[in-house]
């Protein structure tokens, strides 16, 4: 039987510095391990059955000498009672994992997922709020208090079925967001198995296809026959919001891109507006060739001191989305007050909205010109072609699109020009 190690005092243990394993006595096999870097920790060397075990008891000085001896003595008592402390610890960790899975609710999982991933990816506050509001409204009543480990297809269907036929676009987004939360939960070890909110090969077999359910409701656009009149009324209005809407029209851009435009993005000399990827829907840089009319508009815009925003709000911030909508609404109200129908979408007969101006541009390309479809889609910053085709497509047809945007501006001004798309 090996000779028991000398029982060291607390001060002697504190003064140990040589790398290696130092027996400290008091309990057979208790050592202070010192690494080459100077890190210190307690180890109990024991034999359990026929296996030699090195059991960690914590770091020093966080665990004092007296505490280490108490822990080591407790371990040896368990071994004498036929318990393997290593196996016991492993089982405790597994039980903790199971307990964590059982405790983590969908609401708790979403909160962490939102803070750790969604907020870092979505710069648009409106889109972040939509994530929260849709899940709070539709998913939480069914899934909120339910453990993510226990959520099954039937639970997801209980969320979706009441709104699938009547609010299919919203329901589809809710499904995608539930799927994302549950994918994150699986990656975090909070659930196992297939995702019950997945579409392909799963809910696809249980719910009607969105393409069959959703009725096509594009944003109301200004009819092409009325466009020059509408644009003339817009240009007659004063104010930065009216100029922002005019610029949006001439560039066929999205509201957020225009409202957030910075002078640093605009090269007036070369008539190019480069929108950085973080401000684009597709998260990729987009170059916009500026027509002569667009350049003239920008050159007439006042530049605010210490403000790089092209179309700032009264407080020199980014104006709200509703500001541009209000300009269109006032034009429509003025027309109706004068006894005229105003500017209604040709299909839905609803008053036109800012986003519908992009549809007007697309209709103009298709119906009034022979410019290629992919050129128009590129101008609208839509993805064109398959993933492989996009990988080989190096250019963005900037010079050709410049000719198209000049022709579009001429159309908006009511000028009779040839826009045939010829090279």
């Amino acid at each position: 039987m090996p000779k028991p190690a000398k029982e060291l005092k607390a001060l002697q243990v504190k003064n140990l510095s040589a790398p290696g394993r130092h027996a400290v006595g008091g309990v057979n096999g208790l050592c202070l391990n010192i690494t080459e870097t100077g890190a210190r920790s307690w180890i109990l060397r024991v034999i359990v059955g026929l296996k030699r075990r090195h059991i960690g008891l914590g770091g020093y000085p966080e665990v004092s000498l007296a505490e280490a001896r108490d822990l080591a003595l407790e371990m040896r008592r368990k071994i004498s009672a036929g318990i393997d402390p290593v196996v016991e610890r492993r089982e405790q960790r597994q039980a903790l994992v199971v307990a964590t899975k059982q405790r983590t609710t969908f609401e708790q999982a979403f909160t962490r997922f939102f803070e750790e991933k969604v907020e870092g990816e979505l710069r648009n506050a409106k889109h972040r709020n939509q994530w929260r509001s849709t899940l709070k409204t539709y998913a939480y009543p069914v899934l909120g208090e339910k453990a993510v480990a226990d959520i099954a297809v039937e639970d997801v269907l209980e969320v979706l079925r009441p709104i699938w036929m009547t609010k299919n676009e919203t329901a589809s987004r809710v499904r995608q967001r539930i799927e994302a939360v549950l994918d994150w939960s699986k990656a975090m070890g909070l659930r196992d198995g297939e995702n019950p909110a997945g579409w392909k090969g799963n809910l696809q077999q249980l719910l009607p296809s969105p393409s069959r359910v959703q009725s096509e409701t594009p944003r109301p656009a200004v009819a092409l026959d009325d466009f020059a009149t509408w644009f003339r009324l817009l240009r007659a209005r004063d104010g930065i919001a009216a100029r922002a809407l005019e610029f949006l029209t001439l560039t066929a851009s999205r509201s957020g891109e225009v409202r957030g435009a910075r002078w640093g993005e605009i090269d007036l000399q070369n008539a190019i507006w480069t929108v950085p990827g973080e401000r684009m829907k597709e998260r990729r840089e987009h170059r916009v060739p500026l027509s002569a009319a667009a350049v003239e508009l920008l050159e007439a815009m006042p530049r605010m001191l210490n403000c790089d925003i092209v179309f700032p709000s009264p407080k020199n911030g980014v104006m709200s989305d509703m500001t541009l909508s209000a300009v269109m609404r006032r034009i429509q109200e003025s027309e109706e007050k004068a006894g005229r129908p105003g500017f209604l979408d040709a299909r839905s007969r609803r008053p036109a909205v800012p986003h519908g101006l992009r549809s007007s541009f697309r209709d103009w390309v298709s119906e009034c010109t022979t410019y290629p479809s992919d050129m128009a889609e590129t101008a609208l910053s839509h993805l064109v072609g398959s993933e492989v085709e996009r990988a080989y497509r190096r250019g963005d047809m900037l010079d050709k699109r410049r000719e198209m945007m000049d022709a579009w501006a001429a159309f908006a001004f009511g000028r009779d020009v040839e826009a045939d798309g010829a090279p």
Side-chain angles (χ1 to χ4, degrees), residues 160-186:
L160 299 178
R161 275 179 172 148
I163 57 174
W164 192 256
M165 301 301 291
T166 57
K167 301 178 181 179
N168 186 260
E169 186 174 352
T170 299
S172 295
R173 289 175 180 169
V174 169
R175 182 202 66 75
Q176 292 166 0
R177 290 163 185 169
I178 294 174
E179 182 181 20
V181 174
L182 296 183
D183 274 344
W184 177 87
S185 298
K186 183 176 181 179

Side-chain angles (χ1 to χ4, degrees), residues 159-417:
V159 174
L160 299 178
R161 275 179 172 148
I163 57 174
W164 192 256
M165 301 301 291
T166 57
K167 301 178 181 179
N168 186 260
E169 186 174 352
T170 299
S172 295
R173 289 175 180 169
V174 169
R175 182 202 66 75
Q176 292 166 0
R177 290 163 185 169
I178 294 174
E179 182 181 20
V181 174
L182 296 183
D183 274 344
W184 177 87
S185 298
K186 183 176 181 179
M188 293 296 293
L190 300 176
R191 63 169 287 118
D192 301 309
E194 298 298 321
N195 194 320
W199 178 253
K200 192 172 182 180
N202 183 41
L203 295 180
Q204 181 184 36
Q205 311 302 323
L206 303 173
L207 293 169
S209 172
S211 62
R212 299 293 181 89
V213 175
Q214 290 179 11
S215 56
E216 188 117 1
T217 55
R219 302 292 177 87
V222 176
L224 295 182
D225 290 343
D226 300 330
F227 204 88
T229 302
W230 176 84
F231 194 65
R232 175 176 54 79
L233 293 174
L234 170 63
R235 297 189 71 243
R237 288 188 167 266
D238 295 326
I240 291 178
R243 299 292 72 76
L245 187 59
E246 182 181 346
F247 187 71
L248 180 151
T249 305
L250 293 171
T251 57
S253 299
R254 297 181 179 91
S255 171
E257 296 158 14
V258 171
R259 291 182 292 106
R262 266 63 175 175
W263 286 111
E265 300 168 359
I266 295 172
D267 179 355
L268 286 175
Q269 183 175 355
N270 294 300
I272 298 174
W273 172 30
T274 304
V275 190
E278 58 265 25
R279 292 208 305 105
M280 294 298 299
K281 183 178 181 180
E282 298 295 341
R283 315 304 293 174
R284 56 192 175 87
E285 182 182 275
H286 179 56
R287 294 198 302 169
V288 181
L290 299 175
S291 63
V295 171
E296 184 179 346
L297 184 156
L298 291 174
E299 288 177 338
M301 285 295 299
R303 299 201 184 193
M304 305 302 179
L305 187 65
N306 299 323
C307 178
D308 193 42
I309 299 174
V310 179
F311 303 103
S313 70
K315 294 184 178 181
N316 284 353
V318 176
M319 66 175 64
S320 73
D321 190 28
M322 295 307 296
T323 306
L324 300 189
S325 299
V327 174
M328 291 199 75
R329 188 171 61 250
R330 292 188 190 105
I331 293 175
Q332 178 66 22
E333 290 171 351
S334 295
E335 289 296 288
E336 291 175 355
K337 188 177 292 186
R340 293 185 287 269
F343 303 97
L344 307 179
D345 183 88
R347 298 181 183 86
S348 68
R349 307 308 296 168
R350 291 186 296 159
V353 297
H355 196 78
L357 298 172
R358 287 164 56 84
S359 297
S360 298
F361 167 78
R362 191 65 182 85
D363 290 343
W364 169 78
V365 173
S366 298
E367 299 177 18
C368 303
T369 80
T370 57
Y371 289 112
S373 174
D374 60 345
M375 189 186 297
E377 293 301 307
T378 301
L380 293 168
S381 71
H382 290 162
L383 293 176
V384 178
S386 67
E387 188 173 344
V388 173
E389 289 174 324
R390 292 195 297 274
Y392 284 95
R393 187 192 300 271
R394 299 301 182 190
D396 60 1
M397 301 179 283
L398 185 71
D399 291 334
K400 292 181 178 180
R401 286 195 289 124
R402 186 183 302 282
E403 176 190 318
M404 180 174 64
M405 299 315 292
D406 277 328
W408 166 244
F411 173 79
F413 278 88
R415 298 170 187 157
D416 187 15
V417 299

Side-chain angles (χ1 to χ4, degrees), residues 15-29:
N15 291 333
L16 292 173
S17 60
R21 209 174 273 132
H22 304 269
V24 298
V27 178
N28 287 340

